[in-house]
Amino acid sequence: MNSPIVFQMVLQNSESTSILVFDPIGNIKDVNIGFQKSFGYSRESIIGKNFSMLFIEEDIRKKLPEKVLNKVMKTGSSHDENYLKHKNGSKIWVHGECIYVKDENGQGHVVKIIQDLNAEKKLEKKLKEKNEEQKRIIKDNATFIYTASHD
């Protein structure tokens, strides 16, 4: 089995998972169709740019792109959950896994596999809001019952 060809086919044909390939300093070398669909960037508009352009300003100030790169270069892999920017500027909550690999020529690459967690994050927020609302209702009911029973 020729692994580079298999990987290239996975990269080209994967539509529901976003995959980025960048060099050890973060310059994007390739993206798959799944990334293009999820984030709105064309291959041509993003190749050659640093992957830090995808991070929101708050995470850039916290040096998150550098931390991700440093960890993957030090340990061979890293995981992160944070927002990435869609081309239109909207934020998408994602889980990212970076893996450091070397090609047949010994050249290093970082493969970042991205899963969109935005729907789950929105649902989590709604559940928290509902829980808070339920707690308020229960407290209000308890107060009413206490007041009514003492009147």
Side-chain angles (χ1 to χ4, degrees), residues 92-135:
I92 301 172
W93 187 258
V94 301
H95 170 80
E97 179 177 9
C98 291
I99 304 159
Y100 180 70
V101 296
K102 288 188 178 183
D103 62 22
E104 62 276 1
N105 299 322
Q107 186 174 5
H109 306 276
V110 177
V111 178
K112 185 170 183 78
I113 302 164
I114 302 168
Q115 296 170 320
D116 183 338
L117 301 178
N118 223 33
E120 290 88 344
K121 197 68 170 174
K122 286 179 182 177
L123 182 59
E124 181 183 318
K125 183 179 177 189
K126 278 185 179 179
L127 285 172
K128 282 182 181 179
E129 290 170 358
K130 272 290 191 206
N131 282 341
E132 291 302 316
E133 181 182 339
Q134 290 296 319
K135 286 178 185 176

Side-chain angles (χ1 to χ4, degrees), residues 38-42 45 53-54 84-90 92:
S38 295
F39 291 91
Y41 298 93
S42 67
S45 71
M53 71 175 276
L54 299 170
L84 291 182
K85 288 190 294 192
H86 188 279
K87 184 178 180 188
N88 68 15
S90 64
I92 301 172

Side-chain angles (χ1 to χ4, degrees), residues 22 24-26 50-73 78-85 92-98 110 112:
F22 45 92
I25 58 172
N50 194 279
F51 88 118
S52 63
M53 71 175 276
L54 299 170
F55 288 76
I56 63 171
E57 290 302 317
E58 180 182 338
D59 289 341
I60 290 173
R61 281 193 300 278
K62 293 178 183 175
K63 302 202 179 292
L64 185 59
E66 293 90 338
K67 290 175 183 175
V68 168
L69 265 179
N70 288 340
K71 184 171 183 192
V72 75
M73 296 310 294
S78 72
H79 295 263
D80 54 277
E81 283 194 10
N82 51 274
Y83 286 109
L84 291 182
K85 288 190 294 192
I92 301 172
W93 187 258
V94 301
H95 170 80
E97 179 177 9
C98 291
V110 177
K112 185 170 183 78

